[in-house]
Amino acid sequence: MQDHRAPDFPELTLPLFASLKKIFKTETGRVFLYPASGTGAWEAAISNTLNRGDRVLMSRFGQFSHLWVDMAERLGLDVICVDVEWGTGVPVEAYRHHLEDDPTIKAVFATHNETATGVTSDIAAVRQAMDAAGSDAMLYVDGVSSIGSIEFKQDEWGVDLAVSGSQKGLMAPPGLAVLGVSQKALAAAESATMERCYFDFADMIASNDVGYFPYTPPIPLLHGLRASVDMLFVEGLSNVFERHFRLAEGVRRGVHALGLSLCATAPYWYSDTVSAVRVPDGVDGAEVCRIGYHRYRTSFGGGLNKVAGKVFRIGHLGHLNEVSCLAALASAEMALADAGAGIELGAGVAAAQAYYRQALTDRQDLADLDLLASAAPR
Ligand SMILES: *Cc1c(COP(=O)(O)O)cnc(C)c1O
């Protein structure tokens, strides 16, 4: 194992911090890496910047937004939680009203991409609502299943704490919590009184500034993240986002061609990184997942909490291409049919194929396509 106190260790870490800032799209903020998962980044964001009893505004519309609310309550925050229908996302208008009515709100939380329901929310609109209400609260955004796969602009959207993890859009193995932190949040950390030690920003900053960590970092994961971030840059972030839209759109067309609908209630909410598919009445979503896993060796996501048994999920983020999505649709069709759904085998795959052929041949610039093909996942 490499020596994490060696004189050349910063040659790995300092450029990695710089690259991650490009992915979060922050020039003024800084990025922290913790040996943890996305949940650890949630906790680092809260514990470094808030005090027990602080009033915060959150919303709940899926298992991940639910768990962040639960954490905030357990850490002693005074949570105003807006519950909205699962299948929709951050209620921007309701946020604006709460912020206008209550100037004591210190923090606003938003789950950018709710992985449990396949819903993406508009973070720029949340920032606009905060500004319109004259709020000077900080903005906390869960980007675990969005950053690196769909557009994320930390500085432009005024995100103070951007939370991610290594294993989703960043395409590395699990085990790293990744956090983007604004100057405003760094300043708040200097006086915030919530207890923290392992996640303390100040300890991290003192070591990170010279390319080290306050304790042993997961060195293999840092190398893995270096490699996966390089892959994102070779393909180009805008091409990566375009690919995710295209893959997702094919899956959505496939789902609709089967006569099924998504958990996301309207196209406005559709996520380009995961589709939660509603199963027909009388069909158990958990059974679709079990059959998919055991019989067709495909891991679908199950329905969590309120949507347990009602949906199954097709993840389409990270290192995958059109053919991976066609395979997922083919497997889903078989598992659905076996679980008793009256669907026409092949209808979903055919609709996705038609869309992918069209979308890929519509790209006029073949030289560009060639370059893309060399970078995009095979
Ligand atoms: C996966 C996920 C998390 C939790 O991350 P872990 O790495 O499992 O701790 C949090 N939020 C969202 C939106 C996620 O998709």
Side-chain angles (χ1 to χ4, degrees):
M1 186 49 64
Q2 190 179 4
D3 174 9
H4 67 97
R5 303 283 182 206
D8 57 356
F9 193 63
E11 291 171 20
L12 169 66
T13 53
L14 294 176
L16 185 56
F17 295 142
S19 295
L20 288 167
K21 284 177 61 171
K22 287 193 187 136
I23 291 179
F24 280 64
K25 299 217 167 98
T26 179
E27 285 181 9
T28 55
R30 62 185 297 153
V31 166
F32 293 98
L33 291 171
Y34 295 97
S37 70
T39 305
W42 275 349
E43 184 156 341
I46 293 174
S47 64
N48 273 287
T49 56
L50 292 168
N51 310 324
R52 279 176 174 278
D54 278 349
R55 180 159 299 167
V56 303
L57 179 59
M58 305 183 82
S59 50
R60 188 160 47 189
F61 41 80
Q63 181 66 0
F64 293 98
S65 45
H66 160 76
L67 287 172
W68 211 8
V69 168
D70 178 61
M71 171 184 280
E73 287 172 342
R74 286 159 66 179
L75 291 174
L77 297 176
D78 176 9
V79 179
I80 303 170
C81 178
V82 185
D83 271 297
V84 290
E85 185 190 351
W86 288 36
T88 68
V90 178
V92 172
E93 275 305 291
Y95 269 24
R96 189 166 59 79
H97 292 306
H98 277 286
L99 290 164
E100 280 166 356
D101 292 349
D102 186 349
T104 69
I105 293 172
K106 278 191 65 178
V108 173
F109 286 67
T111 299
H112 186 203
N113 190 77
E114 176 50 84
T115 320
T117 55
V119 160
T120 301
S121 290
D122 184 348
I123 301 303
V126 175
R127 167 47 68 192
Q128 276 163 19
M130 292 170 70
D131 292 347
S135 165
D136 69 348
M138 285 188 293
L139 176 57
Y140 295 61
V141 176
D142 177 343
V144 179
S145 60
S146 61
I147 293 172
S149 307
I150 57 183
E151 189 70 87
F152 193 90
K153 299 177 173 174
Q154 174 152 17
D155 283 359
E156 193 179 312
W157 296 344
V159 176
D160 292 294
L161 282 304
V163 171
S164 192
S166 48
Q167 80 274 26
K168 293 189 186 153
L170 296 174
M171 301 193 298
L176 277 173
V178 191
L179 199 58
V181 182
S182 73
Q183 287 299 327
K184 183 175 174 180
L186 290 169
E190 287 174 18
S191 57
T193 57
M194 195 177 285
E195 291 88 348
R196 73 269 187 184
C197 172
Y198 192 72
F199 287 132
D200 195 61
F201 284 172
D203 295 343
M204 268 293 178
I205 290 169
S207 295
N208 283 178
D209 273 349
V210 285
Y212 295 93
F213 282 79
Y215 35 71
T216 312
I219 298 162
L221 291 177
L222 298 179
H223 284 282
L225 192 58
R226 176 73 267 164
S228 61
V229 163
D230 284 343
M231 289 166 70
L232 291 174
F233 289 156
V234 169
E235 189 178 352
L237 280 182
S238 59
N239 292 325
V240 170
F241 302 154
E242 217 175 85
R243 172 167 57 83
H244 280 87
F245 169 77
R246 194 170 62 242
L247 297 178
E249 184 60 21
V251 168
R252 291 190 282 260
R253 288 183 185 217
V255 167
H256 290 134
L258 290 169
L260 302 177
S261 60
L262 294 169
C263 182
T265 56
Y268 175 78
W269 300 115
Y270 287 173
S271 164
D272 285 344
T273 62
V274 55
S275 293
V277 183
R278 288 190 186 279
V279 292
D281 285 342
V283 173
D284 178 8
E287 183 68 2
V288 174
C289 292
R290 271 194 297 278
I291 294 172
Y293 189 76
H294 293 294
R295 199 169 288 163
Y296 302 116
R297 297 175 296 284
T298 310
S299 281
F300 295 109
L304 301 168
N305 200 325
K306 278 193 193 178
V307 290
K310 295 182 185 152
V311 306
F312 72 99
R313 293 175 294 145
I314 300 176
H316 34 76
L317 89 171
H319 189 262
L320 81 171
N321 62 22
E322 289 76 10
V323 178
S324 334
C325 290
L326 292 172
L329 281 169
S331 179
E333 289 180 1
M334 293 190 286
L336 278 160
D338 294 358
I343 56 140
E344 186 194 334
L345 283 177
V349 172
Q353 283 174 321
Y355 174 74
Y356 291 145
R357 286 185 69 207
Q358 173 94 51
L360 290 170
T361 50
D362 272 356
R363 295 184 71 102
Q364 292 299 316
D365 187 345
L366 281 182
D368 178 46
L369 193 63
D370 233 29
L371 182 78
L372 260 186
S374 65
R378 289 174 189 281

